[in-house]
Structures are given as structure tokens and as C-alpha cells.
Amino acid sequence: MTQDRPIIGITLMLGFCLLAPLSDAIAKALGTGVPIGQVVMIRFALQALILVPLVWWSGRIWRMQGRVFWLVLLRTVLHILGIATMFTALTYLPLADAVAIAFVMPFFMLILGKFVLNEEVGARRMIACSVGFFGTLLVVQPSFVTIGWPAFLPVLVAANFSLFMLITRQIAKQTDPISLQAVSGIMAIFIMTPLLALGHQWGMPALEIAMPDSQQWAMLVALGVLGTAAHLLMTWSLRFAPSATLAPMQYLEIPFATLLGLLIFGEFPNLLACIGIAITIIAGLYVILRERAIARNLAAQELIQAPA
């Protein structure tokens, strides 16, 4: 698919921005009614249940060997930890605050790119990172005063998913995205099954096994379906438009999360958190636009230096 239909790509990304906070809202509504390990297990089991038949029906290649297999396994472990941490954070934090704090991820990505991949990062982007971190701290501060250390859980989510994206970048050209998510779902089942068995035996609350009631089952199924659909929309959006076009749209998750938090939970960020959210969005958009400008300059230089 050529990247020449940006309206379709933007529409698909808009769908992702709507579904992702809705999935988080369902996780928050579940609260501690279902142990977090069981929630994660069902989330990935439904992902596999939806995507494995799709891979089989479409004839996609999903065998992964050698270095790619181990990177996919590590990526799956990070995905499990990231989702579990985010769902745990949502039991303590307002929905909008948790989502906004997690959007410190682009700054972690920039720092990892500099120190892990040796990518060139200019002074202006580093300043934007510092400003973004400051904005995030403004969002964290009111929650930290109220609930303490759990206010920093979304920061751990951001750091975790930065590593997740770094690994995804390493294997993106060698794997089909839908096959990758299907295989990750299967791997997650094999990882979570013994963990839940041991957690239940050892009496670990987060890894206990409980029998959800009918309402909780409906919410768990919705969580798995929405989470899988959201990631598919994101994957398909990149077939129609470049990431530089779509990345700024992801910040729409924050106002959507704010609206859902207000309508469902009666939550709204206080003034300090609103200022922090605004600073984080502005700094993040600056980093994205700066990346786009640098990419265009490099492309122009390569075009000029290309032999006639």
C-alpha cells in the first residue's frame, strides 16, 4: 500500500485515539474487582483469538526464528508489563491524568534514540524534552500529594513502552504487523498461564484467579476486543499515511480521556494538571514537528547528492 491516501490514514488513527482511552476507561471501571493478572491474560487471549484466524485466513507468514523470535518474546514481556502497569495506575489515578502522564513516552524515545541507537539529537529537541518532563511533573504533583508513589506508575508505563517501540523498530521490516500481534498474543498466554497458576498457589493478590460475574465478563471481552481493534487501526493507518503525519494526532487521546473521565467517573484535572497537560502536548508536538523537519531536510540533501 502506497502512502498516498492520508485522509484514510488520519481517519483510522482517529479511531485508534477514540478506542484506546475507551479501553483504558473500561480497565479503570473494572478496578480491583478482577485480579490484574487475570485481566491481562484475558486481554491477550482475546487478541490471539481474534488475530490468529485472521493470519491463517489471509495466508500471512508468522514463523519467527533466531534473533527476531527472541526480540518478539522480549517485546511481548514488555507489552505485558506495560499493560499491567497502566491498568494498575488506573485504579489510583484519574483517567485523563494517567493518559497524560504516559505521554512522556516521546521524550523517552528521543533519549533512547540518542544513547542506545546513537541518533543525532539537537539542543532544541533536548530542551523540548526537558520542558515536556516539567509539564508531566505538573500533572503528577497533585496526584502524588493525594496518593503517593502510584502517581509515577504512568511514567514507568512510558519508559516501558519506549523500550517496546525501540524493539518494534528493530523488527518492523522483518515481520508482518498483524502476524506479530497474533504471535505476541500466543506468547503472552504461555507466559501468563504459569504465572497465574503460581500466583494462585502462593496467594499473590495480583495473580489470583477469580470468577468474574456476567457484567465483569462483558467488560473484559470489551476490553480485549477494543484493545485489539485499536492496535489494528493504528497498524492499518500507517499503510495509508506516514508516521510523521499521524503522530501529532495521538495527542487527541488526552482530550478524549478527559471527556470520558468526566462523563463516566466525574473526574476533571485541576488547574495545575491542566497547565501540565498543555505544556506536555506543546512540547511533544514540537518534538514531532522537529523530527519531521529534520527528516525532510535529510531527504532533500540525499536528493541533491544523488547522481544524475
Side-chain angles (χ1 to χ4, degrees):
M1 178 68 66
T2 57
Q3 297 178 348
D4 57 354
R5 303 177 74 179
I7 299 301
I8 295 178
I10 289 171
T11 302
L12 291 170
M13 180 57 76
L14 180 61
F16 167 80
C17 293
L18 285 167
L19 293 185
L22 184 56
S23 176
D24 289 338
I26 293 173
K28 181 174 177 63
L30 276 168
T32 57
V34 182
I36 193 67
Q38 195 171 346
V39 174
V40 173
M41 172 68 163
I42 294 171
R43 158 70 177 81
F44 280 100
L46 284 166
Q47 176 175 312
L49 186 64
I50 293 169
L51 295 182
V52 167
L54 180 59
V55 170
W56 185 274
W57 174 75
S58 61
R60 285 177 162 83
I61 298 173
W62 61 347
R63 291 184 179 179
M64 299 172 186
Q65 299 176 342
R67 173 178 174 272
V68 172
F69 173 85
W70 293 109
L71 286 176
V72 172
L73 179 59
L74 177 58
R75 178 183 181 274
T76 301
V77 171
L78 290 172
H79 201 180
I80 292 171
L81 291 173
I83 288 179
T85 305
M86 186 62 176
F87 287 176
T88 302
L90 289 168
T91 64
Y92 295 97
L93 293 168
L95 180 61
D97 289 15
V99 172
I101 295 168
F103 263 87
V104 76
M105 187 180 73
F107 312 128
F108 279 126
M109 288 291 294
L110 202 64
I111 293 171
L112 286 172
K114 176 178 176 61
F115 293 107
V116 178
L117 300 180
N118 295 318
E119 295 176 347
E120 186 65 30
V121 178
R124 282 183 285 183
R125 283 186 288 171
M126 290 304 295
I127 291 171
C129 278
S130 301
V131 172
F133 278 121
F134 174 72
T136 300
L137 289 175
L138 291 181
V139 184
V140 169
Q141 190 271 336
S143 297
F144 180 74
V145 170
T146 304
I147 65 171
W149 66 266
F152 289 98
L153 286 174
V155 178
L156 295 179
V157 173
N160 178 285
F161 275 109
S162 297
L163 292 171
F164 173 87
M165 293 299 294
L166 194 67
I167 293 172
T168 301
R169 188 188 301 179
Q170 297 295 307
I171 61 177
K173 294 183 179 180
Q174 304 170 57
T175 58
D176 174 77
I178 296 178
S179 299
L180 174 61
Q181 289 173 232
V183 171
S184 290
I186 295 172
M187 286 181 170
I189 293 172
F190 279 100
I191 293 169
M192 291 302 301
T193 299
L195 285 178
L196 289 176
L198 290 174
H200 182 67
Q201 183 177 353
W202 294 342
M204 299 173 65
L207 295 176
E208 280 283 358
I209 299 176
M211 179 55 67
D213 59 31
S214 58
Q215 183 179 3
Q216 289 170 333
W217 269 119
M219 296 171 70
L220 287 167
V221 171
L223 179 65
V225 172
L226 288 174
T228 302
H231 281 85
L232 283 177
L233 288 176
M234 176 189 282
T235 300
W236 285 331
S237 71
L238 292 168
R239 289 177 172 241
F240 294 95
S243 58
T245 299
L246 300 174
M249 289 196 60
Q250 288 186 265
Y251 281 89
L252 289 173
E253 283 187 58
I254 298 177
F256 286 144
T258 302
L259 180 60
L260 287 172
L262 180 61
L263 294 177
I264 299 174
F265 306 106
E267 304 168 341
F268 193 80
N270 63 22
L271 178 60
L272 188 61
C274 287
I275 293 172
I277 289 172
I279 291 173
T280 301
I281 291 174
I282 291 170
L285 290 176
Y286 175 82
V287 168
I288 291 169
L289 295 175
R290 184 67 182 161
E291 293 282 353
R292 183 190 299 180
I294 291 172
R296 285 177 178 172
N297 289 338
L298 288 175
Q301 290 175 10
E302 290 176 358
L303 185 61
I304 293 172
Q305 295 172 0

